[in-house]
Amino acid sequence: MSEATLELFGNTLFWPLLTSIATAAIGGLLLAGRPSCGASRVAATALFAGAALGLVLVHDGFRFPPARSPDRLLPLLALGSFGPGLAPRRGRATTLIGAALLIGVALLWLLWPLLLRWPPQNSALVLLTGGALWALLWYSARHGAQRDYGASCLLAPLAMTAPVVAIDGSLLIGQFAGVLAATLGGWWLYSLLRAPCALGGPGSDLVAFALAAVLAMAYFYAGLDLPALLLLALSPLVGVVLAGVLQALTVWQSRILAGLACALPGSLALWWVWPQESLY
Amino acid sequence: MKTLATSLAAAAVLFTGSALAADDYKIDPTHTTAQFIAGHFGFSDLVGRFNEVAGEFTLDADNPANNSVSMVIQTASVDSNHDKRDEHLRSPDFFNAAEFPELSFTSSSYEGSAEKGVLKGELSMLGQTHPVAFDVVKIGEGDDPWGGYRAGYNATAVVKRSQWGMQYGLPRIPDEVTLNLFVEGIRR
């Protein structure tokens, strides 16, 4: 394996995974003796640390304020980490309004360079349909947040997003998805070694935000095919549909089955974008 | 006072022989090609082009130092003879065509004769502008069969794409890219 390939795998998979595991382990040590398996905030912190390091390693031209669209992803992860915590939790209506506002801000931030050029009606349509899809993905993630198999329902779509986007759009954005998958995989491994543990609300919020952002970026900036986008964005919903079946299984069985089931739409997406001829 | 100065400057331009000798040309996109040559992992050179090019140039036969060019290229028109690769070239990895639909070149000076010289200017791409110097060679000029008057030039420059923030794939996909412009213009 060449040095450049090793560097690519290191930046995309190894370092984010290691950072995620290390941060989760340190958080776990700091919280030793306290109730709950590491607390969900440890998961969110571990995920953010791994993802932030990976994104900066992969995209070495990162700038803030953003000069180009890939620069917009890292601040969006911060919004996914801390934004949901700021949303009011006083009743269903205010929670929904808070979530809609957060998604609206995220889409505006991500698509701002394009919205400036599009006619207003196109922008409104994109914000409404994109927002609805984003909300559905977020809802699916939250549905599994307190369940042992919840992380599998996000890990599988992220892992499938990486090759699909790399083939049908941008290697850079595909690498972003790879970084996020490796980061979540790191936390998943840690929680397996330590104790079966649910991802929790903050961790699920962050991963759902990250997955939605990567897919939106791949679609609007890199021309990802719409069927592939829909298959990947709706993958976590499989966990919601199969909730009754999964909850009747053991922890291990539910994790594995959830992962396999939620990877199916992504596999279809991979088949959809697979090049008819060889990769160039 | 300011008005007087402006009037004097305008009069000077009007009555200067060199200004009168300058001809403006509109670039003919059907006979103009903007081409790039980039390395492919050190195995070979990949040739690509942009299919949508527009612009104009000015030629001053008496004083070539007044020659100037401005060109605009639609980045989404990139064509490397492979659809999947073209999609990739349009992505944020390379030209980021959705966010930066145009790249442009505006000359700032020309040194040389009417036949060949060096054209310096600013190349704007991916939201950044940096200087570039093209070696220019005149191909020919004269009346065309349709009653017009045409002139054509070839221009070549070597740039480092990383200067504009196009860093993806470095160093396996080399930093240096050759730009070739084959330009024909119709006198206005």
Side-chain angles (χ1 to χ4, degrees):
Chain A
M1 201 178 274
S2 73
E3 196 178 320
T5 311
L6 277 176
E7 189 184 332
L8 184 131
F9 278 106
N11 292 345
T12 309
L13 301 175
F14 181 73
W15 293 116
L17 186 137
L18 196 67
T19 306
S20 171
I21 292 175
T23 312
I26 292 166
L29 283 174
L30 292 174
L31 289 172
R34 294 190 193 175
S36 90
C37 50
S40 55
R41 280 201 187 82
V42 171
T45 308
L47 293 172
F48 183 72
L53 177 81
L55 293 187
V56 171
L57 286 175
V58 165
H59 177 45
D60 56 5
F62 174 76
R63 281 193 196 179
F64 189 85
R68 294 185 296 148
S69 47
D71 300 336
R72 293 178 176 269
L73 195 57
L74 191 53
L76 206 63
L77 281 189
L79 184 69
S81 294
F82 308 112
L86 301 174
R89 296 180 193 283
R90 300 187 199 110
R92 195 176 171 82
T94 47
T95 305
L96 283 176
I97 291 169
L101 279 175
L102 210 57
I103 290 171
V105 168
L107 274 170
L108 278 175
W109 169 258
L110 196 64
L111 303 180
W112 188 248
L114 307 181
L115 295 173
L116 288 173
R117 287 200 307 273
W118 287 344
Q121 62 271 24
N122 287 20
S123 299
L125 188 68
V126 163
L127 289 176
L128 281 173
T129 51
L133 203 57
W134 191 305
L136 199 59
L137 202 162
W138 196 1
Y139 162 76
S140 308
R142 282 209 160 180
H143 186 268
Q146 305 308 328
R147 295 168 173 85
D148 289 319
Y149 62 80
S152 303
C153 292
L154 290 169
L155 182 56
L158 267 177
M160 296 310 297
T161 297
V164 170
V165 171
I167 289 171
D168 194 41
S170 152
L171 286 172
L172 180 62
I173 301 174
Q175 270 187 276
F176 285 166
V179 163
L180 298 168
T183 304
L184 182 57
W187 177 84
W188 197 76
L189 277 176
Y190 168 77
S191 75
L192 277 185
L193 296 172
R194 194 166 175 271
C197 186
L199 184 56
S204 299
D205 289 343
L206 170 59
V207 178
F209 243 72
L211 178 56
V214 161
L215 289 174
M217 189 176 275
Y219 180 72
F220 289 106
Y221 289 101
L224 177 68
D225 282 355
L226 185 62
L229 167 84
L230 291 174
L231 284 165
L232 291 166
L234 297 175
S235 295
L237 205 59
V238 174
V240 179
V241 174
L242 294 179
V245 177
L246 294 169
Q247 284 179 71
L249 302 172
T250 65
V251 170
W252 275 98
Q253 287 171 335
S254 68
R255 284 180 167 185
I256 292 167
L257 185 64
L260 290 173
C262 291
L264 274 177
S267 307
L268 275 176
L270 190 59
W271 170 79
W272 179 268
V273 302
W274 194 260
Q276 296 301 309
E277 299 163 12
S278 63
L279 289 168
Y280 59 91
Chain B
M1 192 62 196
K2 197 172 176 182
T3 311
L4 179 64
T6 310
S7 304
L8 285 172
V13 168
L14 278 172
F15 293 103
T16 301
S18 60
L20 286 174
D23 291 316
D24 294 328
Y25 289 75
K26 185 185 177 193
I27 286 175
D28 174 7
T30 58
H31 294 97
T32 295
T33 303
Q35 184 193 67
F36 58 87
I37 302 173
H40 181 233
F41 298 131
F43 304 138
S44 61
D45 282 340
L46 172 84
V47 181
R49 69 181 190 204
F50 296 95
N51 292 328
E52 290 179 37
V53 182
E56 55 202 9
F57 58 88
T58 300
L59 298 179
D60 189 332
D62 294 339
N63 185 5
N66 288 335
N67 290 353
S68 64
V69 180
S70 69
M71 288 181 79
V72 177
I73 291 168
Q74 301 302 314
T75 50
S77 72
V78 67
D79 182 350
S80 66
N81 198 28
H82 189 291
D83 289 342
K84 274 285 177 196
R85 182 171 52 219
D86 294 343
E87 281 177 22
H88 190 199
L89 288 169
R90 285 182 205 109
S91 80
D93 297 3
F94 295 100
F95 291 104
N96 203 351
E99 189 174 2
F100 301 103
E102 292 180 350
L103 70 84
S104 64
F105 174 76
T106 305
S107 68
S108 54
S109 69
Y110 177 80
E111 291 172 18
S113 66
E115 300 303 314
K116 65 177 183 178
V118 176
L119 183 73
K120 292 180 179 171
E122 301 286 326
L123 180 66
S124 298
M125 184 170 70
L126 296 169
Q128 295 188 46
T129 301
H130 296 288
V132 171
F134 281 95
D135 291 322
V136 180
V137 176
K138 183 178 178 179
I139 301 300
E141 69 176 309
D143 295 325
D144 66 25
W146 307 279
Y149 190 88
R150 292 173 182 247
Y153 289 81
N154 289 355
T156 300
V158 177
V159 298
K160 288 193 172 181
R161 62 189 175 99
S162 61
Q163 251 193 304
W164 285 266
M166 192 189 283
Q167 291 172 313
Y168 199 84
L170 291 172
R172 295 193 74 188
I173 302 171
D175 200 5
E176 288 197 342
V177 177
T178 303
L179 306 176
N180 290 323
L181 301 175
F182 306 96
V183 180
E184 183 173 306
I186 306 167
R187 194 166 67 188
R188 291 182 193 275

